[in-house]
Amino acid sequence: MALPGQAQAAQNLKKDANDVSITGFASPNSMKDYCNAGVLTRWGLWDCKVQGSLGCYLAYYLASGNTLKVGDKIDVPDIGMVEEFTKANMNNYNF
C-alpha cells in the first residue's frame, strides 16, 4: 500500500506529477484515480522473480554499452517486452 499512500499524501497536499516524483509498485486498479488526477504518470507491478531478473538483465544491458531513456520498451529474455503502467494502458488491466 506504499504507492497508493504516497499518491494520496501528494494529493492531500495538492501536488501532482509536475511537483513531485512518486515511484513504486501497485496494481492498476489501485492507482487509476491518482493517474487520472495527474498525481503520477507511470508505475510498475511488483513480482520478485521478474524484478530480480529485470535488474540483472538491465545491468548487463547497460554495461554492454546500450542506453535507455524514460519511456523506452525493452525485450528481456525469458520475460518479454517490458513497459510500465501508464494512463494510455492502465485500463487494459482489471486487477
Side-chain angles (χ1 to χ4, degrees), residues 48-60 74 76 79-80 82:
C48 292
K49 180 180 176 185
V50 170
Q51 294 304 122
S53 296
L54 183 60
C56 291
Y57 182 76
L58 287 178
Y60 161 79
I74 185 168
V76 179
I79 295 175
V82 176

Side-chain angles (χ1 to χ4, degrees), residues 11-90:
Q11 194 170 50
N12 290 350
L13 294 171
K14 301 193 181 345
K15 304 289 183 185
D16 64 22
N18 295 313
D19 303 311
V20 295
S21 293
I22 300 172
T23 62
F25 301 95
S27 66
N29 287 347
S30 67
M31 298 308 298
K32 287 179 181 180
D33 289 342
Y34 299 112
C35 187
N36 284 327
V39 176
L40 78 167
T41 60
R42 61 190 69 222
W43 68 98
L45 181 65
W46 182 255
D47 178 310
C48 292
K49 180 180 176 185
V50 170
Q51 294 304 122
S53 296
L54 183 60
C56 291
Y57 182 76
L58 287 178
Y60 161 79
Y61 184 83
L62 294 171
S64 297
N66 298 294
T67 60
L68 289 171
K69 57 186 180 307
V70 174
D72 283 352
K73 295 179 184 178
I74 185 168
D75 192 11
V76 179
D78 299 322
I79 295 175
M81 191 62 66
V82 176
E83 66 179 309
E84 299 162 298
F85 293 114
T86 65
K87 191 170 187 174
N89 71 11
M90 68 184 181

